[in-house]
Amino acid sequence: MPELLDKFGRRHTYLRISVTDRCNLRCLYCMPEEGMVFMDQDKLLSYEQIIEVAETAVKLGIHKFRITGGEPLVRPGLEQLIAGISALPGVDDISLTTNGLLLASQAAKLKKAGLKRVNISLDTMDATRFKFIARRGNLDKVWEGIEAAIEVGLSPIKLNCVLLKGVNEDEIGRFLKLSMEQPMHIRFIEYMPIGHDDKGWRDHYLPLSKVLEVANHLGYVLKQDEGPKGSGPSENWRIEGGVGTFGLIHPISEHFCKNCNRLRLTADGHIKPCLYWVDELNVRPAFGSQEAMEQLFLKAMDIKPENHEMAALLVGDKQSHVPTERRMSQIGG
Ligand code: SAM
Ligand code: SF4
């Protein structure tokens, strides 16, 4: 069986699967306030179809899966998908990225279906600011989701925090303190210009060197750390004496494309070799033929670019290729 090796020698072992573009929030860095034109429900891959794609992926060496969205927990019956993927021989990790709002009521059944761990988005610990960033929802519900995840043993818990200049950068210290006091991993993420190159992005982009600056300013002694399982491109740290860890995902200030091992499957059935560029491959014509599905994955390797060029947008440089018009909620992050 061939492996998923691209032209730059990168072996692909990780597939991120988006199950919906819908969401119960409208985070200002991800979706416009008025929402989007959402995909018709009949455009979404069914869970059976997603499992068919995953089956071929596993045969080609993918052993790690993440379910994402939009907000994956708004799609009914997600546990059926988790159970189906977990049952494939060779799958050793299946995780979920969620905004946490619906997690308290679903954590137990997801865990029972085979979910191993969860990343929960938490950009602020301030309830009023939460309403500003997420434009809807309720911070208490997110905390309830985090507590439920801990209770049912979804471990390790990672909290994803997108840092925005002038919006939540003053909470870096608070998040660092949380990583000292709780056995959690705080993942600071650079704000990315996906599907939009607007002034809003340039105004609010914050390089994550700021996190290390704040840690130094607070007098923390930092030790580089392996980080929890599934740390991917994260640069991980532990504050001396702390029980948790924190990580930096800095695709713009220090891109990590040379270690990229991931592919993405959109909710409407397209394999995206790279988060950033427009290229994608429709899986629908390949249903029913494992050979055709394999060829599609191999084609994805063939067209996988060496790197994204998000940083070029900061300085207004021309880009070599066409960026995607999909927003993050239509890809899955
Ligand atoms: N709704 C779920 C959530 O928010 O966790 C899953 C989907 S969301 C698209 C996946 C991750 O992408 C979240 O952690 C979110 O904060 C992050 N994200 C969304 N838009 C982003 C952007 N423009 N730059 C960086 N991260 C972004
Ligand atoms: Fe929804 Fe997640 Fe996007 Fe926020 S980041 S709007 S929760 S998909």
Side-chain angles (χ1 to χ4, degrees), residues 58-167:
V58 170
K59 292 201 168 106
L60 292 168
I62 300 273
H63 52 82
K64 174 176 163 182
F65 291 85
R66 175 172 295 276
I67 309 300
T68 176
E71 173 47 41
L73 298 185
V74 302
R75 184 154 171 188
L78 194 68
E79 65 282 2
Q80 294 158 33
L81 178 67
I82 305 272
I85 295 178
S86 305
L88 297 173
V91 173
D92 64 21
D93 189 22
I94 175 155
S95 58
L96 173 80
T97 301
T98 171
N99 62 31
L101 286 184
L102 299 172
L103 190 56
S105 56
Q106 299 192 36
K109 66 181 174 196
L110 293 170
K111 168 79 178 165
K112 191 158 169 244
L115 186 69
K116 300 259 194 269
R117 55 198 182 85
V118 69
N119 285 19
I120 301 166
S121 295
L122 183 72
D123 303 320
T124 177
M125 291 189 241
D126 177 277
T128 308
R129 186 172 284 171
F130 182 87
K131 292 271 186 207
F132 175 73
I133 296 177
R135 297 185 179 123
R136 302 183 173 189
N138 172 339
L139 182 58
D140 288 344
K141 286 270 166 230
V142 183
W143 283 117
E144 282 171 28
I146 294 170
E147 278 160 21
I150 296 170
E151 210 161 289
V152 303
L154 289 168
S155 168
I157 303 268
K158 296 184 195 166
L159 301 183
N160 285 359
C161 175
V162 178
L163 282 180
L164 304 167
K165 185 159 76 186
V167 177

Side-chain angles (χ1 to χ4, degrees), residues 1 72 119 135 201 253 290 306:
M1 185 63 69
N119 285 19
R135 297 185 179 123
W201 174 68
S253 60
Q290 202 194 302
E306 188 168 12

